[in-house]
Amino acid sequence: MALVGNRSWLIFFIAFAALLLVLVNGDDVFLEWQVNIDTTIKPVLADQPVITINGMFPGPLINATTNDIIHVNVFNNIDEPLLITWNGIQQRLNSWQDGVSGTNCPILSGSNWTYVFTLKDQIGTFSYFPSINFHKAGGAFGPIRVNNRVVIPIPFPTPEGEFDLLIGDWYQESFKEIRSILNNSIVNLRPNSMLINGHSRYPQTRNQTFAVEAGKTYLIRISNVGTEWSINFRIQNHLMLLVETEGSYTSQIILDSLDIHVGQSYSVLVTTNQGEADYYMVASPKMVNVPESSTLVGVGVLHYDDSTTPPQGPFPLGPDPFDINFSVNQAKTIRWNLTAGAARPNPQGTFNVSNVTLSQTFILQGSLAEINGYARYTVNNVSYRVPNTALKLADYYKNGTGTYQLDAYPANSSNPIASDGTFVVSGTHNGWLEIVFKNNLRVIDTWHLDGFGFYVVGFGNGVWTPDMRSTYNLYDPVHWYLGQELYIRVYDPDPNPAKERQPPSNLLFCGSVIPPSPQPPPPPPKRSRATTLPINW
């Protein structure tokens, strides 16, 4: 989800609760990824390094089914440490595979590491991307489809086909140059282009094209894989029927344009009911005013099979990019489809927040501060400092000693003095957490939540107060799975691996936690003088 300035607030509930798991075995999916730098792709006709996976930009599709077990062996052939995170995939019992700096040590240059995770009880449209060193501004992102099991019907007719649409802002500079600029200033750097599936609008011969048949319905899975800007997406002369977002089937609503914030994914149905021709697909940034000819307007083509007519006329109009009420009101209309099944046969409405008892409330204030002479974004006046040791590693082996101090910074108010630090707060095991996001910035502030699902139950302007809980939508809030950074430590003293698995056998180590010394092999058993004869059956 995203927020913009003018003292906006957004709250959601997050459940740290035990779930009843349906024991359904999935298939094993084995993938091998070679991650490299390619200087020949030139998405914006500039000499810049692009991070590819198996030579592809964007990266390859992960196409799997609920409960499949994914094995991804990542070979890091670039000259820097690398991590890949699986945006929106819940790492149930298995947060060792999440792929962010708080849970994993990076894959060092010239080495490889295999992620193993289960798409447990999930369906829908997701994406993956690199999570450290600003690599996302260089590529290595791609689509994830989690398909329904055969026994679970989808709540709409089977589409003729499916397309993955990855849209995001892109810089003229290399990701290393951007990183260097960000280390010194963050207020004047702006992307230069909008890419659709890795293609900028110039030259037009490289525009992303989807070939369709007239009179058919197609599912388009759209993800915002950019680094900064929210987008508005629309298709010339065609309406979109919203059906799913990040694992939640939605009440179906017809849209002529859709706001998609950084990290968000949606699925829409598009029916090809127009004349045989080509039609523009357009993605433009929010909170910035650009002319139609700007490279910051991404352009693709919906091509009818028998068309000989290129796209004509002006681009389809979207909302005023500064009309935040449009974005907020549209988000409020997106509701959970309570009667549809999803990953499990029981309806989505079986799981609700109408009888929640809150265990904690966090109030997280996004702001801009000057720390040691540099501009920094902060949470409660704290800019996150990445430690050398992964937090989960330090927690498991050293109870966090030497890496972070638990609850050193306030989770409900702003630190008196702007500072940088490793922000880790306590979360109640098996509890419900209410999180209020407050944004006084003049930009849309997008938050990503790794590893857990949450219900978006309220939006608003002005200063949030507890009285506003009476306005929450506790009936059918969308169960969304989704800069500024902090980590929540949820502690359970029970070492039962049914609650949280032990570290994987290929666990990477870094910082202050060194690999344990290998145990010497046991001595061979003493042999008797008796002769052992084979037994044949």
Side-chain angles (χ1 to χ4, degrees), residues 3-189:
L3 303 102
V4 73
N6 297 328
R7 303 186 68 83
S8 298
W9 57 267
L10 162 70
I11 82 95
F12 62 74
F13 288 157
I14 176 171
F16 296 113
L19 299 176
L20 295 177
L21 302 180
V22 181
L23 297 179
V24 180
N25 293 325
D27 293 331
D28 286 277
V29 178
F30 294 91
L31 304 170
E32 182 176 297
W33 286 1
Q34 298 286 341
V35 182
N36 292 284
I37 293 291
D38 191 316
T39 58
T40 66
I41 295 177
K42 299 182 180 180
V44 291
L45 301 182
D47 291 324
Q48 61 179 183
V50 173
I51 305 176
T52 63
I53 299 176
N54 295 347
M56 300 172 62
F57 171 70
L61 167 68
I62 296 178
N63 192 14
T65 299
T66 301
N67 298 330
D68 281 355
I69 303 170
I70 311 299
H71 307 251
V72 189
N73 192 359
V74 178
F75 289 79
N76 179 13
N77 302 316
I78 68 175
D79 61 354
E80 298 183 348
L82 172 74
L83 273 178
I84 303 289
T85 190
W86 320 99
N87 185 23
I89 300 301
Q90 291 192 12
Q91 302 291 341
R92 291 181 180 169
L93 314 180
N94 194 29
S95 61
W96 297 100
Q97 309 287 334
D98 203 27
V100 294
S101 64
T103 55
N104 291 108
C105 296
I107 306 169
L108 297 180
S109 177
S111 65
N112 69 295
W113 194 68
T114 301
Y115 294 88
V116 182
F117 56 91
T118 303
L119 302 173
K120 185 62 180 173
D121 292 332
Q122 287 189 261
I123 56 94
T125 300
F126 306 94
S127 63
Y128 61 84
F129 57 84
S131 63
I132 60 173
N133 293 333
F134 216 67
H135 288 155
K136 191 181 181 186
F141 47 74
I144 301 175
R145 298 181 192 174
V146 186
N147 304 295
N148 285 53
R149 291 182 288 140
V150 175
V151 296
I152 310 296
I154 58 175
F156 46 84
T158 302
E160 179 70 18
E162 299 185 24
F163 300 107
D164 301 290
L165 196 54
L166 303 178
I167 305 174
D169 49 46
W170 189 261
Y171 296 87
Q172 194 84 9
E173 299 83 4
S174 74
F175 63 88
K176 291 184 179 181
E177 291 176 294
I178 299 166
R179 195 170 63 208
S180 176
I181 295 170
L182 289 174
N183 285 336
N184 297 283
S185 172
I186 58 173
V187 292
N188 295 318
L189 186 65

Side-chain angles (χ1 to χ4, degrees), residues 262-392:
V262 173
Q264 281 190 320
S265 296
Y266 287 98
S267 294
V268 298
L269 291 174
V270 175
T271 299
T272 52
N273 52 9
Q274 300 298 305
E276 295 279 1
D278 289 359
Y279 298 91
Y280 290 118
M281 299 186 296
V282 177
S284 56
K286 304 286 293 185
M287 300 301 292
V288 59
N289 197 12
V290 295
E292 190 175 273
S293 60
S294 170
T295 56
L296 279 171
V297 178
V299 179
V301 175
L302 189 71
H303 168 72
Y304 281 51
D305 270 352
D306 295 331
S307 167
T308 58
T309 304
Q312 295 181 350
F315 291 161
L317 292 176
D320 185 317
F322 295 95
D323 184 358
I324 297 305
N325 286 331
F326 171 87
S327 190
V328 170
N329 291 334
Q330 185 177 80
K332 286 181 177 180
T333 67
I334 299 173
R335 300 297 184 93
W336 225 15
N337 184 335
L338 299 181
T339 61
R344 293 170 292 274
N346 42 331
Q348 291 183 145
T350 306
F351 311 94
N352 61 72
V353 292
S354 60
N355 57 354
V356 164
T357 300
L358 293 177
S359 305
Q360 294 173 280
T361 296
F362 289 174
I363 301 175
L364 305 181
Q365 172 74 64
S367 60
L368 188 66
E370 183 176 307
I371 301 173
N372 299 324
Y374 297 104
R376 291 290 180 262
Y377 285 116
T378 65
V379 180
N380 291 356
N381 227 12
V382 179
S383 180
Y384 188 79
R385 182 174 64 237
V386 179
N388 293 326
T389 308
L391 299 178
K392 189 170 179 64

Side-chain angles (χ1 to χ4, degrees), residues 226-284:
T227 59
E228 182 173 348
W229 276 329
S230 299
I231 60 170
N232 179 267
F233 176 77
R234 58 262 186 203
I235 302 175
Q236 186 181 28
N237 292 2
H238 290 74
L239 297 174
M240 298 176 287
L241 182 68
L242 181 67
V243 294
E244 181 263 338
T245 178
E246 294 160 354
S248 291
Y249 285 126
T250 63
S251 296
Q252 297 174 13
I253 55 175
I254 297 175
L255 304 170
D256 54 15
S257 74
L258 176 62
D259 277 3
I260 310 171
H261 303 290
V262 173
Q264 281 190 320
S265 296
Y266 287 98
S267 294
V268 298
L269 291 174
V270 175
T271 299
T272 52
N273 52 9
Q274 300 298 305
E276 295 279 1
D278 289 359
Y279 298 91
Y280 290 118
M281 299 186 296
V282 177
S284 56

